[in-house]
């Protein structure tokens, strides 16, 4: 947050205070210290200092009912004195910092050093320079001018390094900028309800000032600190500040302190804002973190990272903290392990990098050996001291060639491509109404196999209208004529609906002519209020007579009660309670019902059953939501015990039952069909009753009549998944979820259980990837547990948004389908890029390596390599990672989490194109000079001028890459590679741009690029050979992949790497690398070990009998129990260790056992275990076995 900004912030405020002290009756400091008190202390302090909350309101010049006047000067003054409601963000990294970070790349550092040495040597002319006796190659066509130009190569390398660094830094910088834009967009989205000049208005959170009267309701994330003035049943979850998980009940006389960053879990009320921004409780913590972070940075980077993570965890959406992308990643790392794609890519990059390192080392060694042997052994030259610098120059040249091989081999474009692709997608997804909060969610979405969606508002329009009603013993199929309803009943009905609903819920006149009236607040209540208006009655007048302050007691709606009740005091001192809620729940509590004359008659259980059959079920089967409205009169003395809910909410009299329709969104059935075609199962999880839910599910196309599927209620679901003890069993869930399509009357915990059950299931060969939509506060846990959580941007509460990964700004299910499309597109873009990049890598490395070995000089020079690297890495990642998605992406099944990045088809393309390119380049290298009748460029002396021969090779190489870039646009073996190419302007620009620059380099590059200008016919040949790539691509596409069994896939994740990384203990990590290295060479070796295998079976039998003797077999059910840290309890009972048999899993099993000696066995037994280790690595097993053990001898004899 920056020390400076905060201290400025404070000092400014302090200064203002002294001058403005008299403006308001209390200073910022006083209020700030007041907010630090809790509970009774605070109540006492308020009494002593101020008297009561009303006094505080007066001192802050605000009215508890009317709010602030809301005039600009007044608001400005408040901001001046008490501060603004935003937390100053951390400074973004400057461009120079990003440049410095990009320079930390190891390969670049090596190159820089090499270039500097080369520069230094070129300026150092030793006395023995012209000594004939030095080196054979020295005597070439070297004249004075050429020797002068020796510095050019070094300089050119440095220049290209600078280029690469600037491009990388620029990419990082724009990514950061986008991220901040996203963050500020999230902030603007967040509004809060306050009362100003008697009007209830929604203002952006940053606009809230001290003295505002804010209305808080269920699901809000409090944006500032304040004191509770009035309200009902307000319960707050303060765990984000105090860590106490219990909900705190707020009341004026017991605990009026409302703190920023806490969540309203139940109820509603009003508060007067007393501290905002940096002075609020959350702000104070942020300031400490920010200031602490600055000092820590000097001492210890680590601490800062943890601070950053903590800050991001607590961060409510409102603060302006953009956070670096890494901070954001750290925060989300708590929530999910590293993104699958990044895991696969890192692994792949490491493997390729290792291979490149080996190749470059071999290249350097061969060059050096060849030179020394040739000079000192074959030609028997003595090592003359004055020749040393010349020799050193040669060695530096060899070293530079080696480094260039390495530079080309290391695909530093991979992480770049991912970032570009994700950043691009996120930007475009904004247009598709997806606001992505965690970058990796976008890519996870492409693998989604299941979507658990809410019904209300996501699948339906969330415009509730009453269409049927049962009142006065008559079931009306449409809105009845007001005259047909008894006057007494009508009066009760209107009062019950108008009073017993949140007063913030209103129906406003339409904004445009001919539009529907605007519904504000809770949609179900809007439907009921709309019903009152349809009956030609007025709810405003009823509310006017009974204002909110006069309500005696309110039992707010929550997921347990599933009903809402309001108690009012009648003029004769007795009480009346109005109740409304889910019909089957409220009817159970009714013992009377109003008849046609408006008189209550007895309502027995059997009448109720009949009503359910005749009224409620038919309504529900039409997809209506049934709500029962009831009332009860209670005596004034003795006053009932309001806390005993069960007694109060009983003996009700039913007024009416209404059927509310919530029409399905018109675009949803099509979207769901697309999902099903794409291999994604859509499940509906709703709080509605099962008939309503089933009816809507059929309308949406989630279930089709006549199919085999399950629709369950929450109760039944719980009964089926729990055992006798009431514990949830994974096996039981596995029996249900594959067929479950609708879960009705479900509680938030059911939703969480279902999501967790599907994710943890091992029922399918691929782990299921689950997306969940939610809008309520109680959906938080399920949203967090899911792989991707979608929160509703309009209907969603702040808590839900906080827990989500993506916010749907239009609350529409079809936006989820767009997210799937983008997610799959990210995956495909990366694969396209990989296919292109690896072809270039393979070819460039082989050309440089063999060229160096055969002709002592790489046909592609260092600077040329760097240019190729720039094309391949940076430009290609831009071009291929920004392909727009097409509908065809939705025609295939999801890839699954452990599908390798490089499929067989891609492997075929990579190798196929590599063969074509290598053949042509080597043809040109060895017989090119004859074909074009030019001088050969092979065996040129040290500083000789660039030859046309090598220029043609370089030029052809680049042309082939350019045309292969077009081939790389398709990865599933499609024929038409030009399909939709003009929809991607970036791609076209980059290809044409690269082509233009290439012409400039070849014709005018001269010495720095080791190019000599080419004639037109030579150019045409180069382009012609390049075009051959497209033809060859068609030839490759004709070969069926299924024939090529020998092709391996690459870049997949094994099970083990999918575990969250913290769980992998150190030693297992090491073996992980060892495992990779071992696997390749060992397969043949293992075949030879079959005889040993039989002996091991003996050991195995022996071992299992020992197990039985030693301990219960549970301890080996899971690989996790063998971890070095016994404190991890992973609920996972599938044995991951395949028992050894003659299958191909041999090495796998052995390695897995090798990586996890059971910690719980005695010494003796761990030795037996290591008897199996022998199959992988003798040295390891010998060390891990204890020599004192009886089986040691057996093992060594094996």
């Amino acid at each position: 947050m920056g020390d400076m900004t905060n201290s400025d912030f404070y000092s400014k405020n302090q200064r203002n205070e002294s001058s403005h002290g008299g403006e308001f009756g209390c200073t910022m400091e006083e209020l700030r210290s007041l907010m630090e008190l809790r509970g009774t202390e605070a109540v006492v302090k308020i009494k002593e200092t101020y008297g009561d909350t009303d006094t505080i309101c007066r001192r802050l010049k605000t009215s508890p009912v009317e709010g602030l006047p809301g005039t600009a000067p007044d608001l400005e003054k408040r901001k001046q004195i008490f501060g603004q409601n935003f937390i100053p963000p951390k400074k973004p990294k400057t461009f120079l910092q990003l440049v410095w970070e990009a320079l930390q790349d190891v390969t670049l550092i090596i190159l820089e050093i090499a270039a500097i040495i080369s520069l230094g040597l070129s300026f150092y002319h030793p006395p023995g320079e012209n000594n004939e006796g030095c080196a054979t190659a020295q005597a070439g066509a070297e004249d004075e001018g050429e020797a002068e130009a020796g510095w050019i190569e070094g300089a050119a390398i440095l220049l290209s390094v600078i280029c690469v660094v600037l491009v990388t830094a620029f990419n990082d910088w724009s990514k950061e900028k986008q991220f901040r834009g996203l963050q500020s967009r999230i902030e603007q989205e967040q509004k809060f309800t306050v009362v100003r000049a008697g009007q209830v208005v929604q203002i952006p959170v940053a606009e809230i000032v001290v003295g505002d009267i804010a209305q808080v309701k269920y699901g809000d994330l409090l944006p500032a600190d304040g004191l509770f003035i009035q309200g009902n049943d307000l319960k707050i979850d303060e765990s984000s500040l105090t860590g106490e998980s219990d909900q705190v009940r707020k009341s004026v006389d017991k605990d009026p302190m409302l703190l920023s960053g806490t969540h309203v879990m139940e109820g509603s009320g009003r508060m007067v804002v007393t501290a905002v921004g940096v002075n609020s409780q959350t702000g104070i913590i942020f300031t400490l973190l920010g200031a602490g972070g600055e000092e820590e940075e000097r001492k210890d980077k680590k601490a800062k990272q943890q601070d950053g993570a903590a800050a991001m965890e607590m961060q409510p959406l409102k603060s302006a903290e953009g956070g670096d992308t890494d901070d954001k990643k750290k925060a989300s790392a708590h929530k999910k392990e590293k993104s699958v794609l990044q895991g696969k890519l890192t692994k792949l990059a490491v493997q390729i990098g290792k291979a490149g390192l080996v190749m470059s080392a071999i290249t350097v060694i061969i060059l050096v050996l060849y030179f020394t042997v040739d000079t000192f052994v074959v030609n028997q030259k003595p090592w003359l001291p004055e020749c040393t610098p010349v020799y050193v120059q040669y060695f530096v040249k060899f070293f530079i060639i080696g480094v260039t091989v390495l530079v080309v081999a290391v695909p530093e474009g991979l992480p770049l491509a991912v970032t570009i692709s994700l950043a691009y997608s996120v930007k475009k997804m904004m247009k598709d109404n997806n606001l992505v909060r965690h970058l990796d969610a976008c890519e996870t979405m492409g693998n989604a196999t299941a979507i658990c969606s809410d019904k209300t508002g996501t699948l339906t329009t969330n415009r509730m209208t009453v269409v049927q009603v049962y009142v006065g013993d008559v079931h009306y199929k449409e809105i009845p004529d007001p005259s047909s309803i008894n006057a007494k009943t009508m009066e009760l009905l209107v009062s019950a609906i108008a009073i017993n609903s949140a007063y913030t819920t209103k129906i406003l006149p339409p904004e445009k002519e001919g539009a529907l009236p605007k519904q504000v607040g809770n949609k179900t209540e809007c439907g009921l209020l709309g019903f009152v208006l349809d009956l030609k009655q007025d709810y405003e007048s009823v509310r006017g007579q009974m204002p909110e302050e006069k309500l005696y007691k309110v039992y707010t709606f929550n997921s347990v009660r599933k009903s809402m009740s309001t108690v009012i005091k009648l003029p004769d001192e007795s009480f009346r309670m109005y109740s409304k809620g889910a019909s089957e729940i409220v009817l159970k509590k009714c013992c009377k019902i109003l008849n046609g004359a408006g008189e209550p008659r007895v309502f027995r259980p059997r009448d109720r059953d009949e009503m359910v059959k005749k009224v409620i079920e038919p309504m529900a089967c039409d997809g209506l939501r049934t709500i029962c409205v009831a009332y009860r009169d209670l005596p004034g003395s003795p006053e009932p015990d309001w806390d005993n809910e069960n007694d109060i909410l009983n003996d009700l009299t039913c007024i009416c039952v209404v059927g509310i329709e919530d029409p399905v969104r018109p675009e949803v059935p099509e979207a769901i069909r697309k999902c099903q075609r794409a291999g994604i199962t859509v499940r509906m999880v709703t709080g509605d009753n099962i008939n309503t839910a089933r009816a809507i599910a059929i309308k949406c196309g989630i279930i089709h009549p006549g199919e085999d599927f399950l629709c369950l209620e929450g109760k039944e679901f719980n009964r089926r998944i729990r055992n006798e003890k009431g514990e949830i069993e994974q096996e039981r869930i596995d029996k249900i979820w594959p067929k479950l399509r609708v879960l009705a009357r479900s509680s938030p915990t059911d939703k969480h259980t279902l999501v967790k059950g599907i994710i943890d299931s091992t029922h399918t060969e691929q782990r299921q990837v689950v997306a969940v939509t939610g809008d309520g506060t109680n959906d938080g846990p399920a949203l967090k547990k899911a792989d991707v959580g979608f929160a509703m941007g309009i209907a969603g509460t702040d808590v839900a948004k906080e827990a989500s990964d993506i916010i749907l700004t239009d609350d529409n299910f079809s936006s989820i389908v767009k997210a799937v499309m983008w997610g799959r597109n990210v995956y495909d873009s990366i694969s396209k890029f990989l296919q292109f990049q690896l072809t270039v890598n393979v070819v460039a490395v082989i050309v440089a390596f063999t060229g160096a070995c055969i002709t002592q000089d790489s046909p592609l020079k260092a600077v040329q390599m760097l240019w190729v690297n720039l094309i391949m890495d940076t430009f290609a990642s831009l071009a291929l990672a920004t392909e727009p998605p097409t509908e065809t992406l939705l025609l295939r099944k999801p890839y699954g989490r452990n599908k390798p990045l490089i499929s067989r088809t891609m492997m075929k393309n990579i190798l196929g194109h590599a063969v074509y390119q290598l053949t042509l380049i080597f043809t040109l290298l060895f017989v090119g000079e004859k074909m074009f009748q030019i001088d050969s460029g092979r065996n040129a002396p040290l500083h000789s001028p660039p030859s046309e021969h090598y220029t043609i090779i370089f030029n052809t190489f680049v042309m082939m890459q350019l045309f292969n870039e077009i081939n790389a646009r398709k990865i599933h073996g499609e024929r038409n590679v030009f399909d939709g190419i003009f929809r991607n302007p970036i791609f076209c620009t980059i290809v044409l741009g690269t082509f233009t620059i290439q012409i400039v380099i070849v014709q005018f590059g001269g010495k720095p690029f080791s190019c000599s200008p080419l004639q037109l016919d030579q150019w045409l040949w180069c382009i012609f050979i390049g075009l051959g790539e497209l033809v060859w691509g068609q030839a490759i596409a004709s070969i069926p992949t299924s024939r090529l069994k020998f092709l391996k896939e690459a870049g997949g994740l094994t099970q083990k790497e999918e575990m969250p990384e913290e769980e992998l203990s150190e030693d297992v990590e090491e073996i992980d690398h060892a495992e990779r290295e071992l696997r390749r060479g060992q397969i043949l070796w293992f075949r030879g070990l079959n005889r040993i295998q039989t002996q091991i079976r003996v050991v195995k039998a022996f071992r299992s009998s020992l197990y039985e003797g030693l301990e219960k077999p549970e301890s080996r059910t899971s690989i996790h129990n063998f971890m070095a840290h016994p404190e991890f309890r992973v609920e996972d009972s599938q044995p991951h260790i395949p028992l050894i048999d003659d299958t191909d899993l041999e090495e796998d099993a052995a390695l897995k056992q090798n990586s996890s000696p059971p910690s719980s066995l005695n010494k003796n037994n761990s030795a037996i275990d290591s008897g199996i280790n022998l199959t992988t690595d003798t040295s390891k097993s010998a060390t891990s076995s204890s020599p004192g053990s009886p089986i040691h001898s057996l093992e060594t004899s094996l």
Side-chain angles (χ1 to χ4, degrees), residues 728-735 737 756-758 760-761:
I728 297 173
E729 283 189 1
Q730 186 64 44
E731 294 86 83
R732 291 176 184 239
I733 297 184
D734 284 349
K735 287 201 190 94
W737 72 256
K756 185 174 184 304
I758 298 180
D760 294 348
S761 167

Side-chain angles (χ1 to χ4, degrees), residues 892-912:
R892 60 172 173 75
K893 297 273 177 280
Y895 277 148
R897 291 172 72 94
N898 2 18
K899 168 170 185 310
L901 275 173
I902 301 173
S903 62
R904 278 233 177 99
T905 316
M906 287 167 61
M907 206 57 151
K908 176 184 77 176
N909 291 342
I910 291 172
L911 295 176

Side-chain angles (χ1 to χ4, degrees), residues 984-1038:
N984 187 357
I986 303 184
F987 184 86
C988 305
T989 321
I990 283 180
V991 171
L992 293 172
T994 315
F995 187 64
T996 321
I997 300 175
Q998 178 65 18
I999 296 178
V1000 174
I1001 288 180
V1002 171
Q1003 297 305 60
F1004 310 105
K1007 183 77 198 192
F1009 279 97
S1010 325
C1011 287
S1012 92
L1014 298 180
Q1015 262 80 54
L1016 185 62
D1017 60 326
Q1018 294 167 331
W1019 262 102
L1020 288 174
W1021 272 108
C1022 293
I1023 295 175
F1024 174 72
I1025 294 174
L1027 276 166
E1029 269 289 346
L1030 294 173
V1031 183
W1032 183 248
Q1034 295 301 316
I1036 295 179
S1038 316

Side-chain angles (χ1 to χ4, degrees), residues 4-107:
M4 283 304 295
T5 45
N6 286 328
S7 45
D8 292 354
F9 217 76
Y10 280 130
S11 54
K12 196 162 74 205
N13 286 334
Q14 250 82 43
R15 277 202 303 282
N16 289 337
E17 239 162 67
S18 50
S19 56
H20 289 290
E23 294 274 346
F24 295 102
C26 32
T27 63
M28 187 177 75
E29 286 303 308
E30 287 173 16
L31 289 174
R32 205 171 128 177
S33 56
L34 171 66
M35 290 319 291
E36 277 162 9
L37 302 172
R38 300 278 178 273
T40 39
E41 293 174 34
V43 179
V44 173
K45 174 89 177 148
I46 292 174
K47 272 215 173 63
E48 283 171 5
T49 322
Y50 303 103
D52 59 359
T53 42
D54 285 354
T55 324
I56 294 184
C57 290
R58 274 203 298 284
R59 286 197 180 183
L60 288 172
K61 301 190 175 164
T62 177
S63 136
V65 185
E66 297 284 310
L68 290 179
T71 54
D74 178 54
L75 296 178
E76 210 29 63
K77 195 161 67 186
R78 287 173 193 273
K79 283 184 186 166
Q80 287 273 305
I81 295 177
F82 297 111
Q84 298 184 353
N85 193 25
F86 86 101
I87 293 172
K90 249 202 209 108
K91 286 201 185 73
K93 284 192 178 144
T94 56
F95 190 70
L96 288 175
Q97 278 171 309
L98 292 170
V99 168
W100 178 242
E101 276 177 18
L103 278 170
Q104 309 298 312
D105 186 26
V106 185
T107 40

Side-chain angles (χ1 to χ4, degrees), residues 336-344 422 440-441 443-444 1053:
K336 302 202 169 74
E337 58 262 51
K338 187 164 70 179
S339 119
V340 182
L341 187 61
Q342 274 161 335
K344 291 181 185 177
L422 284 174
D440 50 0
E443 153 241 326
T444 315
L1053 279 181

Side-chain angles (χ1 to χ4, degrees), residues 666-731:
E667 61 279 1
V668 162
E670 173 57 17
I672 287 183
R673 217 176 59 246
K674 281 183 190 163
C675 280
Q676 288 161 341
R677 206 170 49 221
I680 302 170
T681 316
V682 182
R683 295 182 174 80
M684 180 161 108
V685 184
T686 171
D688 261 350
N689 95 25
I690 188 142
N691 296 326
T692 314
R694 191 184 285 120
I696 300 263
I698 290 172
K699 280 185 194 160
C700 293
I702 292 180
I703 52 185
H704 304 288
E707 279 183 3
D708 181 23
F709 54 77
L710 282 173
C711 294
L712 293 180
E713 286 205 348
K715 272 207 199 87
E716 172 67 5
F717 173 70
N718 272 312
R719 200 181 54 72
R720 291 202 191 183
I721 60 170
R722 292 174 193 274
N723 58 16
E724 295 70 57
K725 297 192 192 109
E727 295 158 349
I728 297 173
E729 283 189 1
Q730 186 64 44
E731 294 86 83

Side-chain angles (χ1 to χ4, degrees), residues 464 505-507 519-530:
M464 307 276 188
T505 305
K506 302 187 182 61
I507 291 190
Q519 299 189 338
V520 182
N522 180 315
K523 299 297 191 238
T524 313
E525 291 180 351
C526 285
L528 289 167
L529 292 174

